[in-house]
Amino acid sequence: MEFLLVGLEETLNITTILIIAGSVFLGIFFGAIPGLTASLGIALLLPFTFGLGPVNGLAALLGMYVGATSGGMISATLIGIPGTGASIVTTFDGYPMAQQGKANRALSLGVFASLVGGVISMILLTFIAPLLARVALMFGPWEYFALGIFGLTIVVSVSSNNMLKGLIAACLGVFITMIGQDPVVATPRFTFGFGQLEGGFSLLPTLLGFFAISRFFMDVSTTDKLAPAITLDNKYKVFPPLGDIKKSIRNLVRSSFIGTWIGILPGAGGSIASFLAYDRARKASKTPEKFGTGHSEGVIASESSNNSVTGGALIPLMTLGIPGDMVTAVILGGLLIHGLQPGPMLFSNNAEIVGSIFIGLLFATILMFIIQSGLMRYFAKIIKVPKHILLPVIIVMSMVGTFSANNRIFDLWVLIIFGFIGYILIKNKFDLAPLILGYILGPIIEKNWRLGLMATNGDYLPFVTRPVSVLLLTVAVLSILYPIYKSKRAAKKSA
Amino acid sequence: MMNSDRILAVVLFLFSVFMFVMSFSIPPGTLGTGTAGPSFFPQIWAVILAVLSILMFIKSAPEDSEYTHKGLIQSLREYKKVIYMLSASLAYIFLLGILGYIITTLLFLIVTIPVLAAEAKVNKLKILFIAAAITFSTYVIFQHVLNVFLPAGRIF
């Protein structure tokens, strides 16, 4: 546990704390505005963290992550529209509470539940991650190949409502990485003689193109008529009523454990965690009929679980180098850009970074609580920022951010083209999460397949005889086949 | 009838065939050949994508399409706006290296904000003000606070 002390040493200074506070603030802003997500916020922030160094740069990304995850509840409660996907469940009880004139209570409960969820998941992260890293040290290319396949299939089967389109999106993501040098011996592929293509499509234009620019094209066709927000009165209390908290200690702890567990599983994110926690809370409640009518337990279950996903999602990222969801895929990019290779070696080579990520996450959670509690009245107003001010800022930030990373105009062309492709895909009801994961996992899968074969002189057997590898591959195959089987059976039943 | 999912399926199929064919011109790796070589994965993924796009073509029966229900005029008007935005973005990149960050950004915002604000009916003076405010505040933040290198343009 000495890495925590080192982390504390690295993080406990005015600059780092101010950076975390600032990015948490921005994150709450991103979370609160419907349509702006945590992944977009982190992707936009990424290029501006280059100059900060790894500790401060990662602190900024974590602050954005924590802030955005929690900020989503502001619009969920006040206008009944979730600011991020993770706060959908908060609308079930938060919005009715606000309509009944209890907006203050709903928000203070939500902020408090977010704090508890964040802290519990951070504690679990501190215990689980080093253990898993020790196990992962024994992994060879065979296990990593299986992990990549596992990650990809789980994501496709869970995060997309149309599995076929999810698979196609993942394929397209993999193809983006095929262009340029191959990951093992750097043979140029599909460059068609263009020198610019040899470097491949880098992370920033790809991410920002699919997240930010595609929205720019989407939003020219949508109107932004939001429901009038419920206003907060001036007596916003920082702490929720003690009675409410006392009654829900079990609920808080259970939901936080559910959230952390869901966070660890690849593919499943905040929205699934909060649905599950809400369901469990209703089943365990003495008054299940009150759920959905503005019940405080519902808000607590949703907000503690979706915030505890943050710590859980960092576990596979840091120990295995495999991102569990969209947001951690972007954070993975952040680690790589700062020259850090996530995986079990991170714990032995960069213990100070590991420690500062843990401590940074804790600080971000506490600062999120302080900032939200103190400034709630002002955040309640920003959800009405008009689109024609917001989008131009995002576009300009994407362009400048992309350009500044490599000072290449070529990256800007890529940004716009990918944005347009993203727009076409969204229009045809494709989910872009599998695409980004294909982009991240594709090279991991290919590299380890080839390294594995080279190590055994072309013998395929280790892929299916090494226990961890065979287990992961079996789960991967099942996760694709099970939904098909289930829908076939459902079709038979209805016929 | 062709709906947009079918058209996309055909495009994806052609793309996968193209990638499959092109993968044969990848030079063989110095280390590892055959299934461990650099052209094995592009071929595997191309085959997977081809199969998936055929499945998508079959599954996207014309009656499933939203575009057969939605008014064609509406989607055409929407596409006109999207093409407008796309051209504006491409022009922005093209001009960035010539006119520099401030002028290009200002111009870009002046032509795109009215489209984004279509429903809100913002008057011209306000658009100019918003565009100028965004341009200068981002310039100051990027250039002087974050020390980000911005293209200065060639003509100044």
Side-chain angles (χ1 to χ4, degrees):
Chain A
M1 290 289 146
E2 66 267 29
F3 62 90
L4 282 182
L5 286 177
V6 184
L8 196 64
E9 214 173 296
E10 296 269 346
T11 322
L12 198 63
N13 60 71
I14 292 292
T15 321
T16 309
I17 289 179
L18 277 179
I19 286 173
I20 298 177
S23 54
V24 166
F25 180 85
L26 273 177
I28 297 172
F29 189 87
F30 265 83
I33 294 171
L36 301 188
T37 58
S39 346
L40 175 60
I42 295 172
L44 277 175
L45 194 61
L46 200 54
F48 303 108
T49 63
F50 292 155
L52 293 178
V55 171
N56 288 344
L58 286 169
L61 298 178
L62 290 173
M64 177 64 101
Y65 186 16
V66 171
T69 309
S70 146
M73 71 171 193
I74 299 175
S75 47
T77 307
L78 296 179
I79 51 177
I81 296 170
T84 59
S87 51
I88 293 171
V89 177
T90 311
T91 60
F92 296 174
D93 283 288
Y95 189 49
M97 274 179 91
Q99 283 175 316
Q100 294 154 19
K102 291 186 280 189
N104 284 348
R105 194 167 144 209
L107 287 173
S108 61
L109 272 174
V111 176
F112 184 77
S114 300
L115 173 73
V116 175
V119 171
I120 289 183
S121 83
M122 187 265 158
I123 294 170
L124 289 174
L125 167 71
T126 322
F127 281 104
I128 300 173
L131 291 178
L132 196 58
R134 216 166 294 158
V135 177
L137 275 177
M138 290 178 270
F139 284 10
W142 307 277
E143 280 79 15
Y144 277 105
F145 167 78
L147 260 173
I149 297 280
F150 172 74
L152 208 54
T153 53
I154 299 278
V155 165
V156 167
S157 65
V158 175
S159 71
S160 176
N161 30 18
N162 182 328
M163 201 168 83
L164 187 60
K165 287 186 175 175
L167 282 166
I168 291 177
C171 268
L172 289 177
V174 176
F175 266 114
I176 293 172
T177 68
M178 297 269 171
I179 293 156
Q181 295 174 339
D182 90 71
V184 182
V185 287
T187 312
R189 297 192 292 198
F190 304 114
T191 56
F192 309 106
F194 291 105
Q196 295 275 27
L197 284 177
E198 227 159 272
F201 299 118
S202 40
L203 181 78
L204 269 174
T206 309
L207 279 178
L208 286 173
F210 284 109
F211 285 121
I213 305 295
S214 61
R215 278 194 51 76
F216 178 59
F217 293 131
M218 280 301 287
D219 276 20
V220 299
S221 49
T222 53
T223 54
D224 58 345
K225 284 196 192 95
L226 290 180
I230 292 165
T231 45
L232 284 177
D233 57 50
N234 290 332
K235 279 183 246 152
Y236 178 79
K237 282 208 195 83
V238 172
F239 277 100
L242 259 176
D244 278 359
I245 299 175
K246 257 190 197 158
K247 264 191 293 178
S248 10
I249 290 176
R250 284 171 77 96
N251 186 0
L252 274 170
V253 174
R254 179 182 53 233
S255 305
S256 303
F257 270 82
I258 292 177
T260 310
W261 171 241
I262 295 294
I264 298 174
L265 293 181
S271 50
I272 292 169
S274 51
F275 269 107
L276 260 178
Y278 186 82
D279 188 52
R280 296 305 317 166
R282 184 170 50 197
K283 280 183 182 143
S285 171
K286 281 176 202 137
T287 52
E289 72 284 352
K290 277 196 193 162
F291 277 76
T293 62
H295 194 36
S296 56
E297 284 178 45
V299 175
I300 289 173
S302 170
E303 281 307 312
S304 52
S305 60
N306 68 20
N307 281 281
S308 56
V309 167
T310 51
L314 285 176
I315 293 175
L317 174 72
M318 291 176 66
T319 55
L320 305 167
I322 305 274
D325 62 3
M326 195 75 139
V327 186
T328 40
V330 186
I331 294 182
L332 173 74
L335 284 162
L336 295 175
I337 279 171
H338 285 288
L340 300 163
Q341 182 63 52
M345 295 307 282
L346 192 67
F347 285 75
S348 39
N349 294 348
N350 303 88
E352 78 290 352
I353 297 292
V354 174
S356 64
I357 288 176
F358 288 176
I359 299 292
L361 190 67
L362 183 68
F363 282 3
T365 308
I366 295 168
L367 284 167
M368 175 275 296
F369 178 72
I370 296 170
I371 293 173
Q372 285 232 56
S373 304
L375 303 176
M376 185 55 87
R377 274 194 291 141
Y378 306 99
F379 284 124
K381 293 195 176 111
I382 56 163
I383 49 183
K384 286 179 285 187
V385 174
K387 197 172 64 180
H388 59 267
I389 296 180
L390 209 58
L391 274 173
V393 175
I394 291 176
I395 298 309
V396 171
M397 276 186 75
S398 318
M399 297 263 199
V400 172
T402 303
F403 179 76
S404 68
N406 291 319
N407 289 338
R408 280 207 306 180
I409 292 282
F410 172 76
D411 284 346
L412 290 178
W413 299 113
V414 174
L415 176 78
I416 299 297
I417 304 291
F418 281 176
F420 190 64
I421 295 176
Y423 162 79
I424 293 173
L425 291 175
I426 295 173
K427 270 279 155 193
N428 283 285
K429 304 227 152 63
F430 277 84
D431 198 348
L432 294 186
L435 187 143
I436 292 298
L437 281 139
Y439 176 82
I440 300 271
L441 295 175
I444 296 178
I445 294 172
E446 177 175 5
K447 188 174 123 194
N448 288 298
W449 166 266
R450 288 168 62 185
L451 288 179
L453 284 182
M454 284 175 192
T456 56
N457 286 323
D459 183 6
Y460 302 103
L461 266 183
F463 288 107
V464 289
T465 49
R466 290 176 68 109
V468 177
S469 163
V470 72
L471 177 77
L472 288 168
L473 288 176
T474 314
V475 179
V477 172
L478 288 179
S479 72
I480 289 287
L481 293 182
Y482 182 68
I484 297 175
Y485 165 76
K486 218 169 65 175
S487 69
K488 279 258 160 70
R489 217 176 54 170
K492 242 183 213 165
K493 256 186 193 165
S494 64
Chain B
M1 232 199 67
M2 292 291 274
N3 60 41
S4 65
D5 264 8
R6 288 217 146 170
I7 297 169
L8 201 60
V10 173
V11 172
L12 287 171
F13 181 76
L14 293 176
F15 173 72
S16 58
V17 172
F18 176 74
M19 289 305 251
F20 189 78
V21 173
M22 289 311 286
S23 68
F24 286 98
S25 54
I26 294 172
T30 41
L31 286 161
T33 45
T35 51
S39 57
F40 175 65
F41 266 79
Q43 282 160 7
I44 283 286
W45 284 107
V47 171
I48 294 175
L49 185 61
V51 172
L52 292 173
S53 56
I54 291 170
L55 281 175
M56 181 168 147
F57 187 84
I58 297 167
K59 275 186 91 174
S60 59
E63 60 265 29
D64 284 348
S65 167
E66 54 173 318
Y67 287 93
T68 46
H69 304 293
K70 226 177 167 187
L72 192 68
I73 307 287
Q74 194 195 336
S75 51
L76 273 182
R77 194 180 300 151
E78 192 187 304
Y79 285 130
K80 244 162 100 184
K81 277 189 181 173
V82 172
I83 297 295
Y84 176 82
M85 288 301 201
L86 182 64
S87 327
S89 316
L90 295 176
Y92 178 77
I93 302 171
F94 185 71
L95 292 174
L96 201 57
I98 302 168
L99 297 176
Y101 177 76
I102 294 187
I103 296 177
T104 323
T105 306
L106 194 64
L107 283 175
F108 176 71
L109 294 179
I110 289 172
V111 300
T112 52
I113 290 176
V115 182
L116 291 168
E119 278 85 27
K121 296 219 166 48
V122 188
N123 67 42
K124 288 200 175 90
L125 208 67
K126 210 172 159 194
I127 289 173
L128 203 65
F129 175 75
I130 296 172
I134 293 176
T135 308
F136 292 112
S137 56
T138 48
Y139 178 76
V140 170
I141 293 174
F142 291 142
Q143 191 84 305
H144 298 290
V145 182
L146 296 166
N147 292 324
V148 170
F149 173 76
L150 296 171
R154 278 199 296 269
I155 57 168
F156 297 109

